[in-house]
Amino acid sequence: MDEQKLRKKLKIMVMTVILLSLGLVCTSYALASSIVKIRSNRFTMSMGVELELNDGKSVIDMSDVVFEPGGTYVSEFPISNLSEFDVWYRISFTNVSGELKDYVTVKVTEEDGTVLCNGLISKLSADKVMVSSLAAGEEKNLKIEFYFSKDAGDIHQGKTVAFNIKADATQKQNNNDKDFGD
């Protein structure tokens, strides 16, 4: 009789191990499936964000302009969101060099008067400018004004300033912090 009880207990233990193993496999599969199905990507791939400044032409052409102390140069140009989704965008200045970098003030405004950046060109890096939005397919006109400080004096005659204008964007959806990832 003890042998029968032992066999019965053995069968129960084997069945218990099989059921627990089956439960573990099912639970693991369910967990893995739920993780795969939940998408929490914050951004669309960066290749999907596409801005265009001034139809691909130079934003500034100062080749015929005499820029003297106290002088202002103004240019207008469009920025277009060619993406299929709304974006946050910003305009900044990179690779600023030259003797005049601390004497030229720049101001970039949207057509409604919103100021995107305003200050010495040497200080307008991406972390020091305002972020604005563009809807999918939207185009805005921007105005850029350069002012050469009248305090610079004639000692700066023939001196230069060089820079790149940078426009970058990031997806607006699920990005309330306006995070550009830099």
PDB file of all heavy atoms in Angstrom, residues 15-46:
ATOM      1  N   MET A  15       2.801  15.834 -12.176  1.00  0.00           N
ATOM      2  CA  MET A  15       1.740  16.654 -12.783  1.00  0.00           C
ATOM      3  C   MET A  15       1.863  18.109 -12.328  1.00  0.00           C
ATOM      4  O   MET A  15       1.666  19.039 -13.121  1.00  0.00           O
ATOM      5  CB  MET A  15       0.349  16.088 -12.425  1.00  0.00           C
ATOM      6  CG  MET A  15       0.023  14.789 -13.119  1.00  0.00           C
ATOM      7  SD  MET A  15       0.041  14.961 -14.910  1.00  0.00           S
ATOM      8  CE  MET A  15      -1.486  15.809 -15.168  1.00  0.00           C
ATOM      9  N   THR A  16       2.191  18.314 -11.066  1.00  0.00           N
ATOM     10  CA  THR A  16       2.355  19.668 -10.537  1.00  0.00           C
ATOM     11  C   THR A  16       3.511  20.379 -11.238  1.00  0.00           C
ATOM     12  O   THR A  16       3.392  21.538 -11.642  1.00  0.00           O
ATOM     13  CB  THR A  16       2.590  19.627  -9.009  1.00  0.00           C
ATOM     14  OG1 THR A  16       1.507  18.954  -8.381  1.00  0.00           O
ATOM     15  CG2 THR A  16       2.744  21.025  -8.436  1.00  0.00           C
ATOM     16  N   VAL A  17       4.627  19.681 -11.407  1.00  0.00           N
ATOM     17  CA  VAL A  17       5.788  20.263 -12.093  1.00  0.00           C
ATOM     18  C   VAL A  17       5.428  20.596 -13.545  1.00  0.00           C
ATOM     19  O   VAL A  17       5.778  21.661 -14.057  1.00  0.00           O
ATOM     20  CB  VAL A  17       7.012  19.318 -12.004  1.00  0.00           C
ATOM     21  CG1 VAL A  17       8.122  19.780 -12.936  1.00  0.00           C
ATOM     22  CG2 VAL A  17       7.516  19.225 -10.585  1.00  0.00           C
ATOM     23  N   ILE A  18       4.728  19.707 -14.219  1.00  0.00           N
ATOM     24  CA  ILE A  18       4.318  19.939 -15.607  1.00  0.00           C
ATOM     25  C   ILE A  18       3.387  21.141 -15.687  1.00  0.00           C
ATOM     26  O   ILE A  18       3.564  22.018 -16.539  1.00  0.00           O
ATOM     27  CB  ILE A  18       3.666  18.669 -16.208  1.00  0.00           C
ATOM     28  CG1 ILE A  18       4.719  17.573 -16.394  1.00  0.00           C
ATOM     29  CG2 ILE A  18       2.974  18.979 -17.527  1.00  0.00           C
ATOM     30  CD1 ILE A  18       4.152  16.223 -16.813  1.00  0.00           C
ATOM     31  N   LEU A  19       2.382  21.218 -14.798  1.00  0.00           N
ATOM     32  CA  LEU A  19       1.446  22.350 -14.813  1.00  0.00           C
ATOM     33  C   LEU A  19       2.152  23.667 -14.490  1.00  0.00           C
ATOM     34  O   LEU A  19       1.882  24.699 -15.128  1.00  0.00           O
ATOM     35  CB  LEU A  19       0.295  22.094 -13.832  1.00  0.00           C
ATOM     36  CG  LEU A  19      -0.727  21.051 -14.271  1.00  0.00           C
ATOM     37  CD1 LEU A  19      -1.737  20.794 -13.143  1.00  0.00           C
ATOM     38  CD2 LEU A  19      -1.444  21.493 -15.530  1.00  0.00           C
ATOM     39  N   LEU A  20       3.040  23.650 -13.510  1.00  0.00           N
ATOM     40  CA  LEU A  20       3.785  24.877 -13.178  1.00  0.00           C
ATOM     41  C   LEU A  20       4.680  25.310 -14.345  1.00  0.00           C
ATOM     42  O   LEU A  20       4.780  26.497 -14.650  1.00  0.00           O
ATOM     43  CB  LEU A  20       4.613  24.675 -11.911  1.00  0.00           C
ATOM     44  CG  LEU A  20       3.825  24.627 -10.602  1.00  0.00           C
ATOM     45  CD1 LEU A  20       4.749  24.265  -9.441  1.00  0.00           C
ATOM     46  CD2 LEU A  20       3.134  25.943 -10.335  1.00  0.00           C
ATOM     47  N   SER A  21       5.329  24.354 -14.994  1.00  0.00           N
ATOM     48  CA  SER A  21       6.183  24.670 -16.151  1.00  0.00           C
ATOM     49  C   SER A  21       5.345  25.253 -17.280  1.00  0.00           C
ATOM     50  O   SER A  21       5.732  26.235 -17.923  1.00  0.00           O
ATOM     51  CB  SER A  21       6.922  23.418 -16.636  1.00  0.00           C
ATOM     52  OG  SER A  21       7.792  22.954 -15.635  1.00  0.00           O
ATOM     53  N   LEU A  22       4.195  24.633 -17.548  1.00  0.00           N
ATOM     54  CA  LEU A  22       3.287  25.137 -18.581  1.00  0.00           C
ATOM     55  C   LEU A  22       2.812  26.544 -18.242  1.00  0.00           C
ATOM     56  O   LEU A  22       2.767  27.424 -19.099  1.00  0.00           O
ATOM     57  CB  LEU A  22       2.105  24.176 -18.736  1.00  0.00           C
ATOM     58  CG  LEU A  22       1.136  24.476 -19.878  1.00  0.00           C
ATOM     59  CD1 LEU A  22       1.867  24.437 -21.215  1.00  0.00           C
ATOM     60  CD2 LEU A  22      -0.003  23.482 -19.875  1.00  0.00           C
ATOM     61  N   GLY A  23       2.485  26.778 -16.980  1.00  0.00           N
ATOM     62  CA  GLY A  23       2.067  28.118 -16.544  1.00  0.00           C
ATOM     63  C   GLY A  23       3.181  29.133 -16.711  1.00  0.00           C
ATOM     64  O   GLY A  23       2.948  30.274 -17.133  1.00  0.00           O
ATOM     65  N   LEU A  24       4.399  28.749 -16.406  1.00  0.00           N
ATOM     66  CA  LEU A  24       5.547  29.642 -16.559  1.00  0.00           C
ATOM     67  C   LEU A  24       5.767  29.987 -18.029  1.00  0.00           C
ATOM     68  O   LEU A  24       6.011  31.148 -18.372  1.00  0.00           O
ATOM     69  CB  LEU A  24       6.804  28.989 -15.963  1.00  0.00           C
ATOM     70  CG  LEU A  24       8.091  29.808 -16.036  1.00  0.00           C
ATOM     71  CD1 LEU A  24       7.935  31.109 -15.261  1.00  0.00           C
ATOM     72  CD2 LEU A  24       9.257  29.010 -15.502  1.00  0.00           C
ATOM     73  N   VAL A  25       5.664  29.006 -18.908  1.00  0.00           N
ATOM     74  CA  VAL A  25       5.831  29.243 -20.345  1.00  0.00           C
ATOM     75  C   VAL A  25       4.742  30.190 -20.849  1.00  0.00           C
ATOM     76  O   VAL A  25       5.015  31.154 -21.569  1.00  0.00           O
ATOM     77  CB  VAL A  25       5.819  27.908 -21.124  1.00  0.00           C
ATOM     78  CG1 VAL A  25       5.695  28.144 -22.620  1.00  0.00           C
ATOM     79  CG2 VAL A  25       7.072  27.102 -20.816  1.00  0.00           C
ATOM     80  N   CYS A  26       3.491  29.942 -20.467  1.00  0.00           N
ATOM     81  CA  CYS A  26       2.375  30.798 -20.911  1.00  0.00           C
ATOM     82  C   CYS A  26       2.532  32.225 -20.390  1.00  0.00           C
ATOM     83  O   CYS A  26       2.322  33.197 -21.123  1.00  0.00           O
ATOM     84  CB  CYS A  26       1.035  30.209 -20.455  1.00  0.00           C
ATOM     85  SG  CYS A  26       0.601  28.693 -21.316  1.00  0.00           S
ATOM     86  N   THR A  27       2.905  32.368 -19.130  1.00  0.00           N
ATOM     87  CA  THR A  27       3.085  33.692 -18.542  1.00  0.00           C
ATOM     88  C   THR A  27       4.229  34.441 -19.223  1.00  0.00           C
ATOM     89  O   THR A  27       4.117  35.624 -19.528  1.00  0.00           O
ATOM     90  CB  THR A  27       3.359  33.568 -17.024  1.00  0.00           C
ATOM     91  OG1 THR A  27       2.293  32.838 -16.427  1.00  0.00           O
ATOM     92  CG2 THR A  27       3.478  34.922 -16.371  1.00  0.00           C
ATOM     93  N   SER A  28       5.328  33.746 -19.464  1.00  0.00           N
ATOM     94  CA  SER A  28       6.477  34.375 -20.138  1.00  0.00           C
ATOM     95  C   SER A  28       6.086  34.834 -21.538  1.00  0.00           C
ATOM     96  O   SER A  28       6.440  35.928 -21.971  1.00  0.00           O
ATOM     97  CB  SER A  28       7.645  33.403 -20.218  1.00  0.00           C
ATOM     98  OG  SER A  28       8.085  33.076 -18.925  1.00  0.00           O
ATOM     99  N   TYR A  29       5.356  33.996 -22.267  1.00  0.00           N
ATOM    100  CA  TYR A  29       4.907  34.358 -23.608  1.00  0.00           C
ATOM    101  C   TYR A  29       3.982  35.568 -23.556  1.00  0.00           C
ATOM    102  O   TYR A  29       4.108  36.498 -24.353  1.00  0.00           O
ATOM    103  CB  TYR A  29       4.202  33.172 -24.279  1.00  0.00           C
ATOM    104  CG  TYR A  29       3.656  33.529 -25.634  1.00  0.00           C
ATOM    105  CD1 TYR A  29       4.497  33.653 -26.729  1.00  0.00           C
ATOM    106  CD2 TYR A  29       2.291  33.764 -25.818  1.00  0.00           C
ATOM    107  CE1 TYR A  29       4.007  33.999 -27.971  1.00  0.00           C
ATOM    108  CE2 TYR A  29       1.787  34.110 -27.054  1.00  0.00           C
ATOM    109  CZ  TYR A  29       2.652  34.237 -28.131  1.00  0.00           C
ATOM    110  OH  TYR A  29       2.157  34.587 -29.352  1.00  0.00           O
ATOM    111  N   ALA A  30       3.036  35.577 -22.627  1.00  0.00           N
ATOM    112  CA  ALA A  30       2.109  36.701 -22.502  1.00  0.00           C
ATOM    113  C   ALA A  30       2.848  37.995 -22.170  1.00  0.00           C
ATOM    114  O   ALA A  30       2.559  39.052 -22.725  1.00  0.00           O
ATOM    115  CB  ALA A  30       1.051  36.403 -21.434  1.00  0.00           C
ATOM    116  N   LEU A  31       3.809  37.925 -21.284  1.00  0.00           N
ATOM    117  CA  LEU A  31       4.594  39.101 -20.916  1.00  0.00           C
ATOM    118  C   LEU A  31       5.392  39.613 -22.111  1.00  0.00           C
ATOM    119  O   LEU A  31       5.399  40.809 -22.400  1.00  0.00           O
ATOM    120  CB  LEU A  31       5.530  38.768 -19.749  1.00  0.00           C
ATOM    121  CG  LEU A  31       6.415  39.909 -19.255  1.00  0.00           C
ATOM    122  CD1 LEU A  31       5.548  41.057 -18.743  1.00  0.00           C
ATOM    123  CD2 LEU A  31       7.347  39.429 -18.171  1.00  0.00           C
ATOM    124  N   ALA A  32       6.061  38.716 -22.808  1.00  0.00           N
ATOM    125  CA  ALA A  32       6.855  39.116 -23.979  1.00  0.00           C
ATOM    126  C   ALA A  32       5.961  39.713 -25.056  1.00  0.00           C
ATOM    127  O   ALA A  32       6.306  40.710 -25.685  1.00  0.00           O
ATOM    128  CB  ALA A  32       7.630  37.919 -24.519  1.00  0.00           C
ATOM    129  N   SER A  33       4.802  39.136 -25.271  1.00  0.00           N
ATOM    130  CA  SER A  33       3.870  39.663 -26.281  1.00  0.00           C
ATOM    131  C   SER A  33       3.382  41.050 -25.919  1.00  0.00           C
ATOM    132  O   SER A  33       3.267  41.927 -26.776  1.00  0.00           O
ATOM    133  CB  SER A  33       2.674  38.724 -26.446  1.00  0.00           C
ATOM    134  OG  SER A  33       3.096  37.485 -26.948  1.00  0.00           O
ATOM    135  N   SER A  34       3.085  41.279 -24.664  1.00  0.00           N
ATOM    136  CA  SER A  34       2.577  42.591 -24.263  1.00  0.00           C
ATOM    137  C   SER A  34       3.663  43.651 -24.380  1.00  0.00           C
ATOM    138  O   SER A  34       3.395  44.786 -24.743  1.00  0.00           O
ATOM    139  CB  SER A  34       2.022  42.556 -22.840  1.00  0.00           C
ATOM    140  OG  SER A  34       3.067  42.372 -21.908  1.00  0.00           O
ATOM    141  N   ILE A  35       4.908  43.314 -24.105  1.00  0.00           N
ATOM    142  CA  ILE A  35       6.007  44.279 -24.224  1.00  0.00           C
ATOM    143  C   ILE A  35       6.233  44.627 -25.686  1.00  0.00           C
ATOM    144  O   ILE A  35       6.451  45.770 -26.037  1.00  0.00           O
ATOM    145  CB  ILE A  35       7.293  43.720 -23.577  1.00  0.00           C
ATOM    146  CG1 ILE A  35       7.116  43.678 -22.065  1.00  0.00           C
ATOM    147  CG2 ILE A  35       8.504  44.564 -23.947  1.00  0.00           C
ATOM    148  CD1 ILE A  35       8.235  42.979 -21.331  1.00  0.00           C
ATOM    149  N   VAL A  36       6.158  43.659 -26.568  1.00  0.00           N
ATOM    150  CA  VAL A  36       6.358  43.910 -27.987  1.00  0.00           C
ATOM    151  C   VAL A  36       5.244  44.789 -28.546  1.00  0.00           C
ATOM    152  O   VAL A  36       5.486  45.653 -29.370  1.00  0.00           O
ATOM    153  CB  VAL A  36       6.439  42.566 -28.762  1.00  0.00           C
ATOM    154  CG1 VAL A  36       6.419  42.800 -30.244  1.00  0.00           C
ATOM    155  CG2 VAL A  36       7.689  41.817 -28.351  1.00  0.00           C
ATOM    156  N   LYS A  37       4.025  44.606 -28.070  1.00  0.00           N
ATOM    157  CA  LYS A  37       2.888  45.342 -28.610  1.00  0.00           C
ATOM    158  C   LYS A  37       2.805  46.779 -28.121  1.00  0.00           C
ATOM    159  O   LYS A  37       2.230  47.614 -28.766  1.00  0.00           O
ATOM    160  CB  LYS A  37       1.586  44.613 -28.272  1.00  0.00           C
ATOM    161  CG  LYS A  37       1.425  43.328 -29.027  1.00  0.00           C
ATOM    162  CD  LYS A  37       0.132  42.638 -28.670  1.00  0.00           C
ATOM    163  CE  LYS A  37       0.020  41.299 -29.370  1.00  0.00           C
ATOM    164  NZ  LYS A  37      -1.154  40.566 -28.989  1.00  0.00           N
ATOM    165  N   ILE A  38       3.388  47.092 -26.980  1.00  0.00           N
ATOM    166  CA  ILE A  38       3.308  48.441 -26.440  1.00  0.00           C
ATOM    167  C   ILE A  38       4.437  49.259 -27.044  1.00  0.00           C
ATOM    168  O   ILE A  38       5.604  48.958 -26.852  1.00  0.00           O
ATOM    169  CB  ILE A  38       3.414  48.443 -24.897  1.00  0.00           C
ATOM    170  CG1 ILE A  38       2.213  47.715 -24.317  1.00  0.00           C
ATOM    171  CG2 ILE A  38       3.509  49.859 -24.367  1.00  0.00           C
ATOM    172  CD1 ILE A  38       2.303  47.504 -22.824  1.00  0.00           C
ATOM    173  N   ARG A  39       4.085  50.295 -27.746  1.00  0.00           N
ATOM    174  CA  ARG A  39       5.078  51.171 -28.366  1.00  0.00           C
ATOM    175  C   ARG A  39       5.132  52.462 -27.582  1.00  0.00           C
ATOM    176  O   ARG A  39       4.141  53.164 -27.459  1.00  0.00           O
ATOM    177  CB  ARG A  39       4.715  51.484 -29.815  1.00  0.00           C
ATOM    178  CG  ARG A  39       4.651  50.262 -30.690  1.00  0.00           C
ATOM    179  CD  ARG A  39       6.039  49.775 -30.980  1.00  0.00           C
ATOM    180  NE  ARG A  39       5.955  48.662 -31.906  1.00  0.00           N
ATOM    181  CZ  ARG A  39       6.881  47.765 -32.026  1.00  0.00           C
ATOM    182  NH1 ARG A  39       7.953  47.821 -31.302  1.00  0.00           N
ATOM    183  NH2 ARG A  39       6.757  46.790 -32.880  1.00  0.00           N
ATOM    184  N   SER A  40       6.272  52.793 -27.067  1.00  0.00           N
ATOM    185  CA  SER A  40       6.402  54.039 -26.327  1.00  0.00           C
ATOM    186  C   SER A  40       7.496  54.911 -26.931  1.00  0.00           C
ATOM    187  O   SER A  40       8.134  55.676 -26.244  1.00  0.00           O
ATOM    188  CB  SER A  40       6.707  53.747 -24.853  1.00  0.00           C
ATOM    189  OG  SER A  40       7.924  53.051 -24.757  1.00  0.00           O
ATOM    190  N   ASN A  41       7.731  54.775 -28.232  1.00  0.00           N
ATOM    191  CA  ASN A  41       8.731  55.615 -28.882  1.00  0.00           C
ATOM    192  C   ASN A  41       8.298  57.056 -28.789  1.00  0.00           C
ATOM    193  O   ASN A  41       7.160  57.395 -29.081  1.00  0.00           O
ATOM    194  CB  ASN A  41       8.896  55.229 -30.352  1.00  0.00           C
ATOM    195  CG  ASN A  41       9.534  53.871 -30.491  1.00  0.00           C
ATOM    196  OD1 ASN A  41      10.157  53.388 -29.569  1.00  0.00           O
ATOM    197  ND2 ASN A  41       9.363  53.255 -31.638  1.00  0.00           N
ATOM    198  N   ARG A  42       9.209  57.908 -28.399  1.00  0.00           N
ATOM    199  CA  ARG A  42       8.883  59.309 -28.204  1.00  0.00           C
ATOM    200  C   ARG A  42       8.923  60.093 -29.507  1.00  0.00           C
ATOM    201  O   ARG A  42       8.177  61.038 -29.697  1.00  0.00           O
ATOM    202  CB  ARG A  42       9.859  59.898 -27.194  1.00  0.00           C
ATOM    203  CG  ARG A  42       9.501  61.264 -26.782  1.00  0.00           C
ATOM    204  CD  ARG A  42      10.314  61.669 -25.610  1.00  0.00           C
ATOM    205  NE  ARG A  42       9.924  63.003 -25.245  1.00  0.00           N
ATOM    206  CZ  ARG A  42      10.341  63.623 -24.205  1.00  0.00           C
ATOM    207  NH1 ARG A  42      11.161  63.032 -23.388  1.00  0.00           N
ATOM    208  NH2 ARG A  42       9.961  64.833 -23.938  1.00  0.00           N
ATOM    209  N   PHE A  43       9.801  59.713 -30.411  1.00  0.00           N
ATOM    210  CA  PHE A  43       9.987  60.483 -31.631  1.00  0.00           C
ATOM    211  C   PHE A  43       9.870  59.596 -32.862  1.00  0.00           C
ATOM    212  O   PHE A  43      10.217  58.429 -32.824  1.00  0.00           O
ATOM    213  CB  PHE A  43      11.379  61.130 -31.671  1.00  0.00           C
ATOM    214  CG  PHE A  43      11.640  62.034 -30.512  1.00  0.00           C
ATOM    215  CD1 PHE A  43      12.427  61.622 -29.456  1.00  0.00           C
ATOM    216  CD2 PHE A  43      11.078  63.286 -30.472  1.00  0.00           C
ATOM    217  CE1 PHE A  43      12.668  62.446 -28.391  1.00  0.00           C
ATOM    218  CE2 PHE A  43      11.309  64.118 -29.411  1.00  0.00           C
ATOM    219  CZ  PHE A  43      12.106  63.704 -28.370  1.00  0.00           C
ATOM    220  N   THR A  44       9.451  60.193 -33.930  1.00  0.00           N
ATOM    221  CA  THR A  44       9.551  59.546 -35.219  1.00  0.00           C
ATOM    222  C   THR A  44      11.016  59.611 -35.628  1.00  0.00           C
ATOM    223  O   THR A  44      11.739  60.491 -35.196  1.00  0.00           O
ATOM    224  CB  THR A  44       8.680  60.304 -36.251  1.00  0.00           C
ATOM    225  OG1 THR A  44       7.335  60.239 -35.813  1.00  0.00           O
ATOM    226  CG2 THR A  44       8.797  59.711 -37.633  1.00  0.00           C
ATOM    227  N   MET A  45      11.450  58.738 -36.485  1.00  0.00           N
ATOM    228  CA  MET A  45      12.851  58.746 -36.893  1.00  0.00           C
ATOM    229  C   MET A  45      13.225  60.119 -37.439  1.00  0.00           C
ATOM    230  O   MET A  45      12.443  60.771 -38.122  1.00  0.00           O
ATOM    231  CB  MET A  45      13.099  57.675 -37.953  1.00  0.00           C
ATOM    232  CG  MET A  45      12.952  56.277 -37.413  1.00  0.00           C
ATOM    233  SD  MET A  45      13.106  55.010 -38.668  1.00  0.00           S
ATOM    234  CE  MET A  45      14.742  55.332 -39.270  1.00  0.00           C
ATOM    235  N   SER A  46      14.435  60.546 -37.148  1.00  0.00           N
ATOM    236  CA  SER A  46      14.855  61.891 -37.504  1.00  0.00           C
ATOM    237  C   SER A  46      14.816  62.146 -39.007  1.00  0.00           C
ATOM    238  O   SER A  46      14.693  63.273 -39.432  1.00  0.00           O
ATOM    239  CB  SER A  46      16.254  62.171 -36.966  1.00  0.00           C
ATOM    240  OG  SER A  46      17.179  61.277 -37.531  1.00  0.00           O
TER     241      SER A  46
END
